[in-house]
Amino acid sequence: MSTEGALSRSRLLPSLLGILLLLMGLALLAGGVKLSTLGGSWYYLLAGIGLALTGVLLIMARRAALGLYALVLFASTVWALWEVGLDWWQLVPRLAMLFALGIVMLLPWFRRPLLSADAPATGTRALGAAVVIAGVAALASQFTNPGEIKGQLDRDSVPGMTNTAPAMPDGDWNSYGRSAHGDRYSPLAQITPENVSKLVPAWTYRTGDLPGPNDPGETTAENTPLKVNGMLYVCTPHSQVIALEPETGKEIWRFDPKLSTQKAENFKGWAHMTCRGVTYHDDAAYASAEQSPTGTASTTPASTSCPRRIFLPTADTRLIALNADTGKMCEDFGDKGQVDLTANIGGFTAGGYYSTSPPAVTQNLVVIGGHVTDNVSTDEPSGVIRAYDVHTGKLVWNWDSGKPDDTTPIAEGQTYTRNSPNMWSMFSVDEKLGMLYLPMGNQTPDQFGGNRTPESEKYAAGLTALDIATGKVRWYFQFTHHDLWDMDVGGQPTLMDLKTADGVKPAVLASTKQGSIYVLDRSNGQPIVPIKEIPVPQGAVEGDHTSPTQPMSDLNFVPPVLQERDMWGVTPFDQMLCRIDFKSLRYDGMFTPPSLQGSIVYPGNFGVFDWGGISVDPVRQIAFVNPSYMAFKSKLVPAAEVAGGPGRKSETEGVQPNKGAPYGVILEALLSPMGLPCQAPAWGYVAAVDLTNNKTLWKHKNGTVRDSSPVPIPLSMGVPSLGGPFTTASGLAFLSGTLDQYLRAYDVKNGKQLWEGRLPAGAQTTPMTYTGKDGKQYVLVVAGGHGSLGTKQGDYVIAYKLPD
C-alpha cells in the first residue's frame, strides 16, 4: 500500500465531515439571511458562514479548520448562555450537535491527517477548551429547573373548613365531577401517599367500541364513568352505555342507541364522536318538597317504573332516559324514552349540533346544552339551554341568549335564535341557592366578530348563572371581551366554600383557556379574587374591532409573552425555521388579533385549562391543576379565496370556511417541520394553589415524550394534558390526560410523583375513584385515545387497587 493511498483514505472522513459542515453552513446561512431580514437574530447567518468555511478547510485538509470550529463552538456557547441561561432543553438545539461534532474532530484518527508531527497544536487546544466549556454548561444545566416552583403545604386542613358538596356515600362518584359542585374531590383515604406505590391493576374491561374505517369525524374517548346505585356507568364515543360490576368489571347490561349519525359520510371533518359522561337521577334523593333545597315540589309524580335514571346525550341529537337498574329506556320520558334535540333548532350540517357533555339534573329537571361546530358558517344552530321535566321529558323552560329574558317554552313552529353562543361543556349546580352555572362559548365564527349581536357579545366566553326553577339569568360575568381567539370557558365550574379574609364565602372557580382562574361569589357573581382589566393589543381586520382591555384574575397561570429566543427545535435547523415562522407572524403578546398576515395565539385555543377543569380539596383549601402551554397560529383568508383553498379537514386542519363572514381561517398548532412544538418545553405541568392566599405552592413539569416522539424514550420534558385531575382526603391527586400513556399519582403537599401505571392507550379523560362492596378503594380510568391529539386509540376501562 503506498503512503499516498493511505493518506488519501485517512483524509476521507475529514473530507466527508467537511462536506457535511459546508452543507450545514449553507443551510444556516440561507435561513439566517431570511431571519435577519425579518429583524431576527444574526447568529444563524454568522454561524452559517463559520460552519461553511470550516467545511471548506476540512475538505482542503487544513489544520486551521480546528481553530475556526473552536471559535464557532465557543461563540455559540456564549450566545446560547446569553439567550437562555442554564436551561438544558433550550441548550440542546443550540449546542448538542455542535458539541458532538467537536468531540469527533478531537479524535486522534480524525485530526491526524490534518496535522504534521511537528505542527503546533493551537487549534486542537482551542477546540478542546471550547468542547469543555460547552460540556460544563450542559452539565451545569442539569441542576436547574426553569419554570418550576418547589414548595410544601404545611397543613392537613384549614380549621372549620369541610366538604360542603351535596351529600352522597363516601365511596360513590355520582356526577361527572363527583358531585354537582364539580369539585372532583373524594373523601376516601384508604389509598394514601404512603401506600399508593403498591397499586396494581384490579381488572380491565374492553367496551368493543373502537374507531372504524367509516367512522364519522374523529373518535375521542373523554369519558369519566359514574359509580352509583351499586354499579359503574360507562359511556363510549358512539354513545353506548355500559353498566359494570365495580369490583370485577363484569358487564351487567349494555344499551346501544343505534346511532343514525345523520348520514355519517357528512360528519367527516366536522364533528367529534365523543361522550364525556352520563347523568344519574334518583327520586329517593328528593322524597318531599320539604327536603328539596329549592323548596319546590316536583311537577310530576315520581316514576314507579324508572325511579333511578341514567340520562344519555347521543351523537345523533337525542336525550335518552334509561332505567339505571336494567338499561331499558324509560317509556314515560319524552317519546318512549327519548327527546329529539333537533326540535326548534333549524337546519344544520350533519354533526353540526349535538351534546358531547352530560346534562345537569336537579329535583325536577334535566338540563342540557349543545356543541355547535366552530367556524362553519354564520348560520348555525342556537346555543339554547333547555330544561325538561325529569320524569316526563316535557320542556319546562329554555334559555336562549339571543332572547335572554324570555324563558317560556318555545311555541311549536318557532326557531331558537340562530348562531347564539352555546354551552358545550359541563354545568355545575347549587340547589341550595337555586342556581345553575354555565361555562359559555361564543358566537361562531371564532376569529371574526364584526357581525355579532349585542346579546351574543354580552353572554359569550364567560360564566352565566341561571335560576333553576325559571331559567332566568341571576348574574353573569364575562372573561373574554369580544372573543376572537376561541376562548370558550371549557372547564366545569367548581363550587366550594372558600375561607377569605372577610369570612367564608360560597365560591365558584372558573378555569379558562387563557390561564386565569376566576374566583367569584357564586351567590351574586362578585369577584372574590381581584380581577383587573389589562390593556391588550389592538388592530383588528377591516370590519371588526377589538376590546381595549381584557379581564385577568390575580389567580392565574398565564405564561410569559413569547420571545424569539423561546423558539425551539431538536436541531439548529428546525429551531431556525421556527424563529422564521415566529418573526413572519403577527405577535404582540396575548390577545394579538387575528390577521391576514397570520397571528400567533398564545395560549392557544386548547387552552392553559380546557374541559378537564380543576380539582379542589375543600378541607385543605387548595386547588390541584394541570396547566398546558401550546401556541397556535391563525390566518384569516378572504372569503373569495376560501373556495380555492385546501378545504376543511377537521376543526384544526385546512381552511375553516366561515360561510357568511368576510373571512375564512386557517388554524393550526405552531409546530416545527419535525412536528414538535416551536416553543421550548416544558409544555405541561402539575401545580397546586393555596386558596387562602392565591399563591402557587409548587409547580412541576409533568409527563414524558415517550409516546409522541419518533424514538420512544421517556424524556421528562413536561407534555400537554387534556382531561382533569381528582384529589382525595388522604392527600393524593391523580391525573391521566398527558400525551404519554400513564395514570399518575401525586402528593398534593409537594407535587412529588408517587406512582405511575402504564396504560395500553391514550387516556385523555378524567379518572375517578370509588369503593366496592368488598370495602376496597379503586382508582379507575378510561383509556381510549384522542383523535385530535393523535394518541393511541383503544377501548379500555381499567381499575386499580391495593393488593389483597
Side-chain angles (χ1 to χ4, degrees):
M1 179 186 297
S2 68
T3 303
E4 183 179 345
L7 182 60
S8 176
R9 278 189 291 275
S10 68
R11 287 178 176 173
L12 178 61
L13 286 177
S15 297
L16 290 175
L17 181 58
I19 293 171
L20 177 62
L21 287 177
L22 176 59
L23 294 175
M24 289 170 57
L26 292 175
L28 289 179
L29 177 60
V33 170
K34 173 69 173 177
L35 181 59
S36 62
T37 60
L38 292 170
S41 172
W42 282 67
Y43 164 77
Y44 296 91
L45 187 155
L46 297 175
I49 293 173
L51 289 181
L53 290 176
T54 300
V56 171
L57 290 173
L58 283 176
I59 294 169
M60 298 172 63
R62 298 290 182 88
R63 61 176 179 259
L66 300 181
L68 181 55
Y69 191 81
L71 177 62
V72 172
L73 179 56
F74 176 74
S76 297
T77 303
V78 172
W79 167 76
L81 293 173
W82 172 74
E83 275 212 322
V84 299
L86 294 174
D87 183 337
W88 165 253
W89 286 114
Q90 284 271 46
L91 292 178
V92 165
R94 291 168 168 85
L95 296 180
M97 183 181 294
L98 296 179
F99 176 79
L101 292 175
I103 294 289
V104 171
M105 294 171 69
L106 282 175
L107 295 174
W109 53 263
F110 181 91
R111 55 187 172 83
R112 191 175 295 119
L114 304 179
L115 301 171
S116 62
D118 57 350
T122 306
T124 304
R125 288 195 293 267
L127 181 55
V131 166
V132 169
I133 292 170
V136 169
L139 181 63
S141 69
Q142 299 296 308
F143 301 98
T144 65
N145 294 288
E148 296 202 350
I149 298 172
K150 292 184 178 180
Q152 179 80 27
L153 180 69
D154 59 2
R155 63 175 184 260
D156 286 316
S157 65
V158 171
M161 301 310 298
T162 61
N163 182 13
T164 56
M168 73 179 81
D170 285 356
D172 278 4
W173 189 287
N174 73 1
S175 187
Y176 175 83
R178 185 174 185 268
S179 76
H181 282 194
D183 46 19
R184 295 170 189 79
Y185 170 79
S186 170
L188 296 182
Q190 188 180 106
I191 302 172
T192 68
E194 291 72 32
N195 63 26
V196 68
S197 63
K198 299 177 182 178
L199 279 182
V200 294
W203 53 261
T204 298
Y205 172 83
R206 301 196 65 174
T207 68
D209 189 346
L210 288 162
N214 298 316
D215 231 14
E218 295 175 335
T219 300
T220 63
E222 299 178 351
N223 175 234
T224 298
L226 306 184
K227 191 272 179 174
V228 65
N229 193 34
M231 303 184 207
L232 285 167
Y233 298 100
V234 177
C235 74
T236 73
H238 292 85
S239 308
Q240 297 179 29
V241 181
I242 305 165
L244 302 177
E245 188 175 84
E247 302 78 21
T248 65
K250 179 182 177 182
E251 183 176 314
I252 299 172
W253 57 255
R254 176 189 291 252
F255 173 79
D256 186 348
K258 306 293 184 185
L259 295 181
S260 69
T261 63
Q262 307 155 346
K263 297 183 179 179
E265 67 274 9
N266 292 331
F267 266 71
K268 292 187 180 295
W270 304 99
H272 296 282
M273 297 295 291
T274 195
C275 176
R276 292 190 183 93
V278 295
T279 307
Y280 178 76
H281 183 274
D282 188 348
D283 285 336
Y286 302 101
S288 67
E290 288 74 27
Q291 290 176 304
S292 165
T294 55
T296 57
S298 178
T299 56
T300 57
S303 173
T304 56
S305 60
C306 279
R308 291 167 294 277
R309 300 181 178 218
I310 293 292
F311 287 100
L312 166 70
T314 71
D316 58 356
T317 331
R318 291 178 283 166
L319 175 61
I320 297 176
L322 302 174
N323 186 315
D325 299 331
T326 66
K328 304 295 183 184
M329 292 176 70
C330 297
E331 297 282 334
D332 57 356
F333 183 80
D335 182 10
K336 296 182 179 180
Q338 62 186 4
V339 168
D340 180 6
L341 297 178
T342 65
N344 306 98
I345 285 293
F348 58 92
T349 303
Y353 179 86
Y354 62 105
S355 296
T356 58
S357 299
V361 293
T362 68
Q363 176 186 2
N364 306 327
L365 304 174
V366 53
V367 190
I368 194 165
H371 160 92
V372 177
T373 303
D374 292 337
N375 302 321
V376 177
S377 76
T378 58
D379 184 28
E380 293 300 308
S382 172
V384 63
I385 309 298
R386 288 176 279 190
Y388 298 93
D389 187 288
V390 77
H391 297 120
T392 67
K394 179 182 178 182
L395 184 64
V396 176
W397 56 256
N398 38 230
W399 182 70
D400 175 356
S401 60
K403 298 178 180 178
D405 299 324
D406 184 6
T407 62
T408 304
I410 195 169
E412 186 176 350
Q414 292 187 348
T415 302
Y416 294 113
T417 305
R418 299 285 287 176
N419 217 41
S420 58
N422 66 313
M423 196 224 80
W424 54 266
S425 187
M426 284 66 64
F427 301 84
S428 292
V429 183
D430 186 334
E431 291 202 74
K432 289 184 179 179
L433 290 177
M435 279 190 264
L436 289 160
Y437 301 91
L438 282 57
M440 293 297 294
N442 53 33
Q443 185 179 45
T444 188
D446 292 324
Q447 284 73 32
F448 180 80
N451 299 329
R452 292 178 185 164
T453 64
E455 292 79 14
S456 70
E457 293 277 57
K458 182 176 181 179
Y459 294 106
L463 195 62
T464 297
L466 300 183
D467 185 90
I468 289 175
T470 65
K472 298 284 188 181
V473 175
R474 296 272 288 268
W475 58 260
Y476 68 94
F477 199 106
Q478 189 169 72
F479 303 142
T480 305
H481 307 317
H482 193 65
D483 181 11
L484 301 176
W485 306 271
D486 191 20
M487 292 298 169
D488 324 8
V489 184
Q492 181 182 24
T494 299
L495 313 184
M496 67 180 294
D497 283 3
L498 192 62
K499 189 168 187 176
T500 74
D502 300 321
V504 177
K505 293 190 176 184
V508 54
L509 286 69
S511 57
T512 59
K513 292 181 178 181
Q514 62 265 42
S516 276
I517 300 176
Y518 298 91
V519 186
L520 310 175
D521 186 319
R522 67 177 184 268
S523 68
N524 55 28
Q526 295 301 305
I528 294 175
V529 174
I531 299 170
K532 300 181 179 68
E533 290 285 340
I534 60 169
V536 293
Q538 299 296 294
V541 293
E542 183 179 356
D544 205 347
H545 67 278
T546 52
S547 171
T549 62
Q550 293 290 351
M552 182 181 290
S553 172
D554 278 3
L555 174 51
N556 72 75
F557 286 83
V558 174
V561 174
L562 287 175
Q563 306 288 336
E564 182 195 336
R565 64 174 177 265
D566 297 319
M567 295 300 101
W568 190 75
V570 176
T571 69
F573 306 101
D574 51 324
Q575 183 185 48
M576 178 182 66
L577 293 173
C578 280
R579 285 179 179 246
I580 291 172
D581 207 7
F582 178 83
K583 298 297 290 187
S584 299
L585 295 164
R586 181 181 176 188
Y587 180 64
D588 304 313
M590 191 171 170
F591 297 113
T592 298
S595 63
L596 294 168
Q597 172 188 350
S599 297
I600 292 177
V601 184
Y602 186 64
N605 61 347
F606 265 30
V608 176
F609 304 107
D610 202 354
W611 55 262
I614 64 176
S615 174
V616 298
D617 182 328
V619 179
R620 292 180 175 87
Q621 293 279 289
I622 62 171
F624 183 95
V625 302
N626 55 310
S628 296
Y629 299 100
M630 283 284 291
F632 276 66
K633 54 185 179 181
S634 66
K635 182 178 182 180
L636 296 178
V637 180
E641 300 175 18
V642 170
R648 178 183 172 120
K649 296 179 181 178
S650 71
E651 289 189 14
T652 55
E653 294 180 283
V655 178
Q656 316 297 308
N658 293 347
K659 186 178 180 182
Y663 305 97
V665 65
I666 299 173
L667 299 170
E668 54 192 352
L670 183 62
L671 301 177
S672 75
M674 297 184 71
L676 295 171
C678 268
Q679 93 242 29
W683 306 298
Y685 294 85
V686 287
V689 177
D690 185 340
L691 294 173
T692 66
N693 58 23
N694 306 315
K695 295 187 181 302
T696 301
L697 287 162
W698 51 260
K699 179 183 174 187
H700 304 306
K701 62 184 180 182
N702 184 54
T704 73
V705 294
R706 171 174 176 173
D707 298 303
S708 51
S709 64
V711 180
I713 301 174
L715 298 174
S716 298
M717 299 176 70
V719 296
S721 54
L722 189 61
F726 76 82
T727 53
T728 71
S730 68
L732 288 172
F734 289 84
L735 176 70
S736 68
T738 51
L739 293 185
D740 57 349
Q741 295 164 204
Y742 290 96
L743 170 65
R744 293 184 170 93
Y746 313 84
D747 188 328
V748 300
K749 288 189 175 182
N750 53 32
K752 181 181 179 182
Q753 182 180 307
L754 302 174
W755 171 84
E756 65 182 17
R758 180 69 175 162
L759 301 172
Q764 283 65 55
T765 58
T766 301
M768 49 84 75
T769 188
Y770 63 91
T771 300
K773 293 178 183 177
D774 55 4
K776 294 281 189 179
Q777 181 184 352
Y778 294 79
V779 176
L780 182 141
V781 64
V782 173
H786 198 281
S788 296
L789 297 179
T791 54
K792 184 179 178 181
Q793 297 196 296
D795 62 341
Y796 300 90
V797 183
I798 305 171
Y800 297 84
K801 68 175 183 177
L802 296 172
D804 294 329

